[in-house]
Amino acid sequence: MTVVFDGIASGMLLFLIAVGLSVTLGLMNFVNLAHGVFAMLGGYVCVVATGRYGVPFLLAVPLAALAAAAAGAVLERTLFRRLYGATQLDQVLFTIGVVFVAMAAARWGFGPQQQPIRLPSWLQGQVTIAGVDIGLYRAFLVVLGLLVAFGLHRTIGVTRFGARLRAAVDKPAVARGMGIDVDRVFVITFAIGSGLAGLGGAVGVELLGLDPSFPLRYLVYFLIVVAVGGSGSIGGSLLAAVLIGVCDVAGKYWVPQVGAFIIYTVMVVMLIVRPQGLFGTR
Amino acid sequence: MDSRSPDSLSPGPDAAAATPAPATVDLAPLRRAARPRWPELAVWLLPVAAWFLLPEDLALLTQIAIMAIFALSLDLVLGYAGIVTLGHAAFFGVGAYAAGLLAAKLGIGDPLLGLLFAAAVAALAGLVTAPTVLRGTGLTRLMVTIGIGMMLFEAANKATDLTGGVDGLQGIEMTPILGLWSFDLWGKTAYVYAVVVLLVLFLIARRIVHSPFGLSLRALHMNPARMPALGVSVDARLAAAWVLGATYAGIAGALLTQTTQFVSIDVLGFERSAEILLILVLGGAGRLYGALIGTIVFVTLHHVLAGIDPEYWQMWIGLVLIGIVLFARNGIMGAIDPFERLLARKKTEP
Amino acid sequence: MTAPALHTRNLVKTFGGFTATDDVSLTLAPGARHALIGPNGAGKTTLVNLLTGVLAPTAGAVFLAGEDVTGLGQHRRVRRGLARTFQINRLFADLTVLESVALAVGERRGVGWRVWSPVGAQGEVLDEAARLIETLRLADVAHRRTRDLAYGRQRLIEIALALAVRPRVLLLDEPAAGVPTRESRALFETLAELPRDMTILLIEHDMDLVFRFAERISVLVSGAVLLEDTPDVVATHPLVREVYLGEATHHA
């Protein structure tokens, strides 16, 4: 059971990081392989803020999210938006280029080594509930993930912003005609997605580690979440992320000789059987 | 008068009347199209020149020849057939391990036999994966290619008994090529071997792209929706190109194994798939010489820049990728395009 | 009696709750010059897609020379002699006219899988492609890239590609769409010269072309065939006037 809970916790992390990708890639059709860069940025901001400047962890995390959101907005404005209409190959090349530059920058700034993070004492240790060992930090991740999922669901599903986003994506010309500032909708969406990735990256240092190869190492996991969860579906992303987290952790725990192989197989099979994802409608 | 269109080369309708349109089609330009041209010969003198001018760098030059084959294989898949893949290293790795295992575990060290075996195994891998990859389109297809690449990497990573895992596969002994030329310490045999294989594969690819099959690949890259309306099964053509590309990649991987007598798990890495994509678009996808030029430029740059500071190398790759997309979509070969077209036009006009 | 070149039996296509094609039974005799007209949204494009195999019908069947082809994909129907042109050009932008037509001819003649001999060595294919290009008066631009040609000439390539298939049945989907009047004569001449044994279904908005070309006309409204008759009858039919001619005069 502990394994399952750990899986759920890492699934929540995956969800936080990947849900933004689900929107930009799934809804806006922008193949952004550089999504992990924002998570990495959030991670470094958090590590530097807590480690070097003694900022409390709970303050450093939102700071990391804001930094990543700002970076996402700037990149969207200056570069990514040029590629919305481009071919898939162009988007792939360009965003891989961004990944490489970011990785080089991270290595230049922080060196190739893993970054340590010191968690506040109240998040350390574990409790045993009904015979299940639950790490406090993992419980924190689960709660955070659920809160974000709920918040997003309210924002995208219920408010006018969600409707505008859908309109802007489906029929940009019509949306413009209706007075929707499509460019602004896109940049805000992108910023939110990047910000959440930054948030995930910041709280994920403890579990996922942080070094310059982060954006590439976890890229496939993010893509799997989108593939399995279906385009732009928040509930789908959440469920997919948790499923993958559990499969991954359980797989590595019970059948270590197979390892991550399971995850990739699940993804490929999933893509063949249901290309639109578990909950996708397209 | 109005059947004459403004695209006529004549300045206006009146002049057009004075020079009536040719009533027959001159087939000569198309008949000439597949003939070798003199700049091609010049390109193939480069490896000969390198042998004499850079005898110290034969190992690096061998790498270039091998990477060129790999780039060529991706060119067939991506440049001609238009299948975007980020998992092409899968076939390179399959070929590398096939050749390595044949020599290390079965003790069959004959290089040519190894190449054939690796080609066959890679072709089979291509055949097996083709339906899976071609089933989806767009993003789904891209992710399937990544997924297959990752699956193979993890499989090789975990099957340590067979592959040696992260430590690599060792104990590969090669016998002399055709029983005549053994691999020497200075890499002379390896270099000639790799260049000859490259030349042979290039000539085969050249024939294929100029054939009706090659024409159909180019056409379906430009407009896949039209092909069924011409009675063509798109999937079958794409699958053929995919298997062909896989075979070429497998041979490239096998060459790397044989010339280095070692297989590192890196042969299957995602980075290798991304790198070869960069090499191809740098040179110019959809042209065979794009693959060659891209490889020469890339590996040379890598050698020089990584020699100065390996940490900046990655940043350069990134910047080059971004630059290509923003400013030079057709790569290095794209830069000579306008001149080529001008030349071709002069030839077809009286 | 010989089987009709193309006929459909009670063809139905629904998208969700929307019926795009409603119980259509068309019959085209060999050598027919048949036109399909109807207001925008009448389901013309859907019907074409059902006939060519792009879409699978919800119910009903499509027959080509008496053979049930309902279950066959697009390229298999082409191989059985059903060709089409597209309403919006679907051409090979970077191929020359000769390459494009040679490709189409070559595929019909079954050389598409040849990997070892160059395109330039396919003598019979090239000769046939050249004749076709000459027939369509495209000889002067045979070595120009498709993308460099004016729209009217591109429309002719669209037809050349369909003819290269040597179809027994040809679907012309708005062949004159987007062609400036100044360039349309070549197109009309080409259509008039098509061999008489070829069965043609013309889907068209341009009433001028329809009444000049067609010998029978089917009027499609809301996915169903409202009426099928000769041009004279259709032109004066009160029902047609009511639902359609308002638009027709608009387009004429």
mmCIF file of all heavy atoms in Angstrom, chain A residues 194-228:
data_model
loop_
_atom_site.group_PDB
_atom_site.id
_atom_site.type_symbol
_atom_site.label_atom_id
_atom_site.label_comp_id
_atom_site.label_asym_id
_atom_site.label_seq_id
_atom_site.Cartn_x
_atom_site.Cartn_y
_atom_site.Cartn_z
ATOM 1 N N SER A 194 3.148 27.093 -17.725
ATOM 2 C CA SER A 194 4.559 27.137 -17.335
ATOM 3 C C SER A 194 4.687 27.312 -15.828
ATOM 4 O O SER A 194 5.556 26.717 -15.189
ATOM 5 C CB SER A 194 5.269 28.296 -18.033
ATOM 6 O OG SER A 194 4.976 28.297 -19.394
ATOM 7 N N GLY A 195 3.819 28.149 -15.270
ATOM 8 C CA GLY A 195 3.861 28.393 -13.828
ATOM 9 C C GLY A 195 3.610 27.116 -13.053
ATOM 10 O O GLY A 195 4.304 26.815 -12.069
ATOM 11 N N LEU A 196 2.619 26.334 -13.501
ATOM 12 C CA LEU A 196 2.336 25.068 -12.823
ATOM 13 C C LEU A 196 3.509 24.107 -12.963
ATOM 14 O O LEU A 196 3.847 23.388 -12.016
ATOM 15 C CB LEU A 196 1.070 24.433 -13.391
ATOM 16 C CG LEU A 196 -0.213 25.118 -12.968
ATOM 17 C CD1 LEU A 196 -1.399 24.549 -13.727
ATOM 18 C CD2 LEU A 196 -0.421 24.967 -11.473
ATOM 19 N N ALA A 197 4.140 24.121 -14.142
ATOM 20 C CA ALA A 197 5.320 23.284 -14.317
ATOM 21 C C ALA A 197 6.395 23.717 -13.329
ATOM 22 O O ALA A 197 7.057 22.876 -12.691
ATOM 23 C CB ALA A 197 5.833 23.390 -15.748
ATOM 24 N N GLY A 198 6.562 25.050 -13.173
ATOM 25 C CA GLY A 198 7.543 25.563 -12.218
ATOM 26 C C GLY A 198 7.212 25.122 -10.803
ATOM 27 O O GLY A 198 8.090 24.718 -10.024
ATOM 28 N N LEU A 199 5.931 25.181 -10.478
ATOM 29 C CA LEU A 199 5.475 24.726 -9.164
ATOM 30 C C LEU A 199 5.832 23.256 -8.969
ATOM 31 O O LEU A 199 6.416 22.860 -7.949
ATOM 32 C CB LEU A 199 3.957 24.924 -9.076
ATOM 33 C CG LEU A 199 3.259 24.482 -7.791
ATOM 34 C CD1 LEU A 199 3.588 25.461 -6.679
ATOM 35 C CD2 LEU A 199 1.757 24.405 -7.994
ATOM 36 N N GLY A 200 5.489 22.458 -9.970
ATOM 37 C CA GLY A 200 5.786 21.030 -9.888
ATOM 38 C C GLY A 200 7.279 20.782 -9.782
ATOM 39 O O GLY A 200 7.736 19.930 -9.013
ATOM 40 N N GLY A 201 8.046 21.533 -10.566
ATOM 41 C CA GLY A 201 9.484 21.365 -10.526
ATOM 42 C C GLY A 201 10.037 21.703 -9.144
ATOM 43 O O GLY A 201 10.943 21.017 -8.636
ATOM 44 N N ALA A 202 9.481 22.751 -8.534
ATOM 45 C CA ALA A 202 9.969 23.186 -7.228
ATOM 46 C C ALA A 202 9.678 22.135 -6.149
ATOM 47 O O ALA A 202 10.574 21.745 -5.397
ATOM 48 C CB ALA A 202 9.320 24.515 -6.844
ATOM 49 N N VAL A 203 8.442 21.655 -6.107
ATOM 50 C CA VAL A 203 8.125 20.677 -5.060
ATOM 51 C C VAL A 203 8.626 19.289 -5.445
ATOM 52 O O VAL A 203 8.590 18.370 -4.636
ATOM 53 C CB VAL A 203 6.602 20.620 -4.765
ATOM 54 C CG1 VAL A 203 6.126 21.943 -4.200
ATOM 55 C CG2 VAL A 203 5.821 20.242 -6.012
ATOM 56 N N GLY A 204 9.107 19.149 -6.699
ATOM 57 C CA GLY A 204 9.528 17.838 -7.150
ATOM 58 C C GLY A 204 10.999 17.555 -6.950
ATOM 59 O O GLY A 204 11.444 16.423 -7.179
ATOM 60 N N VAL A 205 11.765 18.576 -6.535
ATOM 61 C CA VAL A 205 13.208 18.372 -6.375
ATOM 62 C C VAL A 205 13.489 17.180 -5.460
ATOM 63 O O VAL A 205 14.367 16.361 -5.729
ATOM 64 C CB VAL A 205 13.866 19.654 -5.818
ATOM 65 C CG1 VAL A 205 15.351 19.430 -5.587
ATOM 66 C CG2 VAL A 205 13.657 20.811 -6.777
ATOM 67 N N GLU A 206 12.697 17.090 -4.403
ATOM 68 C CA GLU A 206 12.900 16.027 -3.416
ATOM 69 C C GLU A 206 12.736 14.632 -4.043
ATOM 70 O O GLU A 206 13.507 13.726 -3.749
ATOM 71 C CB GLU A 206 11.884 16.217 -2.276
ATOM 72 C CG GLU A 206 11.836 15.091 -1.265
ATOM 73 C CD GLU A 206 13.035 15.101 -0.325
ATOM 74 O OE1 GLU A 206 13.792 16.081 -0.367
ATOM 75 O OE2 GLU A 206 13.207 14.121 0.424
ATOM 76 N N LEU A 207 11.745 14.485 -4.902
ATOM 77 C CA LEU A 207 11.459 13.159 -5.460
ATOM 78 C C LEU A 207 12.149 12.892 -6.790
ATOM 79 O O LEU A 207 12.621 11.787 -7.035
ATOM 80 C CB LEU A 207 9.939 13.006 -5.669
ATOM 81 C CG LEU A 207 9.190 12.203 -4.608
ATOM 82 C CD1 LEU A 207 9.239 12.910 -3.281
ATOM 83 C CD2 LEU A 207 7.764 11.975 -5.061
ATOM 84 N N LEU A 208 12.154 13.896 -7.658
ATOM 85 C CA LEU A 208 12.649 13.674 -9.017
ATOM 86 C C LEU A 208 14.116 14.017 -9.159
ATOM 87 O O LEU A 208 14.766 13.634 -10.113
ATOM 88 C CB LEU A 208 11.846 14.512 -10.015
ATOM 89 C CG LEU A 208 10.339 14.311 -10.030
ATOM 90 C CD1 LEU A 208 9.675 15.275 -11.001
ATOM 91 C CD2 LEU A 208 9.996 12.878 -10.418
ATOM 92 N N GLY A 209 14.632 14.782 -8.201
ATOM 93 C CA GLY A 209 16.003 15.250 -8.320
ATOM 94 C C GLY A 209 16.049 16.465 -9.238
ATOM 95 O O GLY A 209 15.051 16.825 -9.872
ATOM 96 N N LEU A 210 17.186 17.127 -9.282
ATOM 97 C CA LEU A 210 17.324 18.300 -10.137
ATOM 98 C C LEU A 210 18.758 18.423 -10.614
ATOM 99 O O LEU A 210 19.685 18.580 -9.829
ATOM 100 C CB LEU A 210 16.928 19.571 -9.354
ATOM 101 C CG LEU A 210 17.000 20.862 -10.160
ATOM 102 C CD1 LEU A 210 15.967 20.875 -11.257
ATOM 103 C CD2 LEU A 210 16.821 22.075 -9.251
ATOM 104 N N ASP A 211 18.923 18.299 -11.923
ATOM 105 C CA ASP A 211 20.217 18.551 -12.537
ATOM 106 C C ASP A 211 19.931 19.003 -13.958
ATOM 107 O O ASP A 211 18.774 18.996 -14.391
ATOM 108 C CB ASP A 211 21.092 17.279 -12.478
ATOM 109 C CG ASP A 211 20.551 16.174 -13.354
ATOM 110 O OD1 ASP A 211 20.902 16.125 -14.530
ATOM 111 O OD2 ASP A 211 19.741 15.356 -12.847
ATOM 112 N N PRO A 212 20.961 19.437 -14.687
ATOM 113 C CA PRO A 212 20.680 20.048 -16.004
ATOM 114 C C PRO A 212 19.993 19.117 -17.004
ATOM 115 O O PRO A 212 19.411 19.596 -17.971
ATOM 116 C CB PRO A 212 22.072 20.442 -16.506
ATOM 117 C CG PRO A 212 22.877 20.631 -15.282
ATOM 118 C CD PRO A 212 22.373 19.615 -14.308
ATOM 119 N N SER A 213 20.041 17.815 -16.792
ATOM 120 C CA SER A 213 19.411 16.930 -17.787
ATOM 121 C C SER A 213 17.924 16.708 -17.503
ATOM 122 O O SER A 213 17.267 15.958 -18.214
ATOM 123 C CB SER A 213 20.143 15.592 -17.826
ATOM 124 O OG SER A 213 19.944 14.902 -16.620
ATOM 125 N N PHE A 214 17.415 17.389 -16.474
ATOM 126 C CA PHE A 214 16.014 17.224 -16.069
ATOM 127 C C PHE A 214 15.007 17.327 -17.221
ATOM 128 O O PHE A 214 14.159 16.446 -17.380
ATOM 129 C CB PHE A 214 15.689 18.261 -14.975
ATOM 130 C CG PHE A 214 14.309 18.166 -14.420
ATOM 131 C CD1 PHE A 214 14.037 17.406 -13.286
ATOM 132 C CD2 PHE A 214 13.251 18.825 -15.036
ATOM 133 C CE1 PHE A 214 12.760 17.322 -12.789
ATOM 134 C CE2 PHE A 214 11.970 18.737 -14.533
ATOM 135 C CZ PHE A 214 11.722 17.983 -13.409
ATOM 136 N N PRO A 215 15.071 18.371 -18.071
ATOM 137 C CA PRO A 215 14.021 18.531 -19.089
ATOM 138 C C PRO A 215 13.949 17.370 -20.070
ATOM 139 O O PRO A 215 12.865 17.037 -20.553
ATOM 140 C CB PRO A 215 14.414 19.815 -19.830
ATOM 141 C CG PRO A 215 15.391 20.503 -18.965
ATOM 142 C CD PRO A 215 16.073 19.460 -18.136
ATOM 143 N N LEU A 216 15.084 16.761 -20.363
ATOM 144 C CA LEU A 216 15.061 15.640 -21.300
ATOM 145 C C LEU A 216 14.669 14.347 -20.609
ATOM 146 O O LEU A 216 13.945 13.526 -21.153
ATOM 147 C CB LEU A 216 16.440 15.453 -21.942
ATOM 148 C CG LEU A 216 16.693 16.134 -23.271
ATOM 149 C CD1 LEU A 216 17.981 15.620 -23.890
ATOM 150 C CD2 LEU A 216 15.541 15.910 -24.238
ATOM 151 N N ARG A 217 15.185 14.187 -19.371
ATOM 152 C CA ARG A 217 14.979 12.917 -18.684
ATOM 153 C C ARG A 217 13.504 12.645 -18.448
ATOM 154 O O ARG A 217 13.035 11.521 -18.559
ATOM 155 C CB ARG A 217 15.723 12.932 -17.349
ATOM 156 C CG ARG A 217 15.674 11.639 -16.588
ATOM 157 C CD ARG A 217 16.983 11.350 -15.853
ATOM 158 N NE ARG A 217 17.640 12.560 -15.394
ATOM 159 C CZ ARG A 217 17.460 13.084 -14.189
ATOM 160 N NH1 ARG A 217 16.647 12.505 -13.337
ATOM 161 N NH2 ARG A 217 18.077 14.192 -13.838
ATOM 162 N N TYR A 218 12.761 13.688 -18.146
ATOM 163 C CA TYR A 218 11.346 13.471 -17.824
ATOM 164 C C TYR A 218 10.408 13.834 -18.969
ATOM 165 O O TYR A 218 9.199 13.700 -18.838
ATOM 166 C CB TYR A 218 10.979 14.236 -16.555
ATOM 167 C CG TYR A 218 11.645 13.634 -15.336
ATOM 168 C CD1 TYR A 218 12.733 14.260 -14.746
ATOM 169 C CD2 TYR A 218 11.200 12.423 -14.824
ATOM 170 C CE1 TYR A 218 13.357 13.694 -13.651
ATOM 171 C CE2 TYR A 218 11.826 11.849 -13.741
ATOM 172 C CZ TYR A 218 12.902 12.481 -13.150
ATOM 173 O OH TYR A 218 13.521 11.911 -12.077
ATOM 174 N N LEU A 219 10.990 14.299 -20.062
ATOM 175 C CA LEU A 219 10.154 14.705 -21.207
ATOM 176 C C LEU A 219 9.137 13.629 -21.582
ATOM 177 O O LEU A 219 7.948 13.893 -21.755
ATOM 178 C CB LEU A 219 11.056 15.006 -22.414
ATOM 179 C CG LEU A 219 10.337 15.183 -23.742
ATOM 180 C CD1 LEU A 219 9.434 16.406 -23.696
ATOM 181 C CD2 LEU A 219 11.334 15.329 -24.890
ATOM 182 N N VAL A 220 9.628 12.404 -21.671
ATOM 183 C CA VAL A 220 8.747 11.334 -22.120
ATOM 184 C C VAL A 220 7.596 11.132 -21.141
ATOM 185 O O VAL A 220 6.462 10.897 -21.549
ATOM 186 C CB VAL A 220 9.543 10.045 -22.306
ATOM 187 C CG1 VAL A 220 8.643 8.918 -22.745
ATOM 188 C CG2 VAL A 220 10.623 10.257 -23.338
ATOM 189 N N TYR A 221 7.901 11.270 -19.858
ATOM 190 C CA TYR A 221 6.825 11.120 -18.868
ATOM 191 C C TYR A 221 5.734 12.164 -19.082
ATOM 192 O O TYR A 221 4.541 11.863 -19.019
ATOM 193 C CB TYR A 221 7.393 11.237 -17.456
ATOM 194 C CG TYR A 221 8.086 9.978 -16.981
ATOM 195 C CD1 TYR A 221 9.354 9.646 -17.434
ATOM 196 C CD2 TYR A 221 7.454 9.120 -16.103
ATOM 197 C CE1 TYR A 221 9.992 8.496 -17.017
ATOM 198 C CE2 TYR A 221 8.076 7.958 -15.668
ATOM 199 C CZ TYR A 221 9.349 7.648 -16.128
ATOM 200 O OH TYR A 221 9.959 6.511 -15.716
ATOM 201 N N PHE A 222 6.165 13.407 -19.333
ATOM 202 C CA PHE A 222 5.168 14.464 -19.548
ATOM 203 C C PHE A 222 4.324 14.139 -20.784
ATOM 204 O O PHE A 222 3.101 14.284 -20.776
ATOM 205 C CB PHE A 222 5.848 15.824 -19.749
ATOM 206 C CG PHE A 222 6.836 16.167 -18.673
ATOM 207 C CD1 PHE A 222 7.946 16.953 -18.949
ATOM 208 C CD2 PHE A 222 6.661 15.698 -17.373
ATOM 209 C CE1 PHE A 222 8.857 17.269 -17.961
ATOM 210 C CE2 PHE A 222 7.578 16.004 -16.381
ATOM 211 C CZ PHE A 222 8.684 16.789 -16.678
ATOM 212 N N LEU A 223 5.020 13.690 -21.824
ATOM 213 C CA LEU A 223 4.295 13.373 -23.059
ATOM 214 C C LEU A 223 3.311 12.229 -22.829
ATOM 215 O O LEU A 223 2.210 12.230 -23.360
ATOM 216 C CB LEU A 223 5.282 13.005 -24.169
ATOM 217 C CG LEU A 223 6.115 14.155 -24.710
ATOM 218 C CD1 LEU A 223 7.129 13.660 -25.725
ATOM 219 C CD2 LEU A 223 5.226 15.210 -25.355
ATOM 220 N N ILE A 224 3.739 11.265 -22.004
ATOM 221 C CA ILE A 224 2.839 10.137 -21.741
ATOM 222 C C ILE A 224 1.568 10.614 -21.057
ATOM 223 O O ILE A 224 0.468 10.169 -21.372
ATOM 224 C CB ILE A 224 3.527 9.075 -20.861
ATOM 225 C CG1 ILE A 224 4.752 8.518 -21.571
ATOM 226 C CG2 ILE A 224 2.576 7.943 -20.543
ATOM 227 C CD1 ILE A 224 5.561 7.576 -20.708
ATOM 228 N N VAL A 225 1.738 11.537 -20.108
ATOM 229 C CA VAL A 225 0.552 12.036 -19.402
ATOM 230 C C VAL A 225 -0.442 12.620 -20.407
ATOM 231 O O VAL A 225 -1.631 12.327 -20.363
ATOM 232 C CB VAL A 225 0.948 13.101 -18.355
ATOM 233 C CG1 VAL A 225 -0.299 13.754 -17.779
ATOM 234 C CG2 VAL A 225 1.784 12.482 -17.269
ATOM 235 N N VAL A 226 0.084 13.416 -21.337
ATOM 236 C CA VAL A 226 -0.796 14.031 -22.327
ATOM 237 C C VAL A 226 -1.416 12.952 -23.218
ATOM 238 O O VAL A 226 -2.608 12.968 -23.511
ATOM 239 C CB VAL A 226 -0.017 15.048 -23.180
ATOM 240 C CG1 VAL A 226 -0.941 15.686 -24.198
ATOM 241 C CG2 VAL A 226 0.600 16.114 -22.299
ATOM 242 N N ALA A 227 -0.569 12.005 -23.628
ATOM 243 C CA ALA A 227 -1.045 10.966 -24.533
ATOM 244 C C ALA A 227 -2.132 10.126 -23.881
ATOM 245 O O ALA A 227 -3.162 9.837 -24.479
ATOM 246 C CB ALA A 227 0.113 10.075 -24.963
ATOM 247 N N VAL A 228 -1.891 9.745 -22.657
ATOM 248 C CA VAL A 228 -2.841 8.865 -21.986
ATOM 249 C C VAL A 228 -4.051 9.649 -21.490
ATOM 250 O O VAL A 228 -5.183 9.182 -21.557
ATOM 251 C CB VAL A 228 -2.156 8.119 -20.814
ATOM 252 C CG1 VAL A 228 -3.161 7.283 -20.049
ATOM 253 C CG2 VAL A 228 -1.029 7.248 -21.345
#
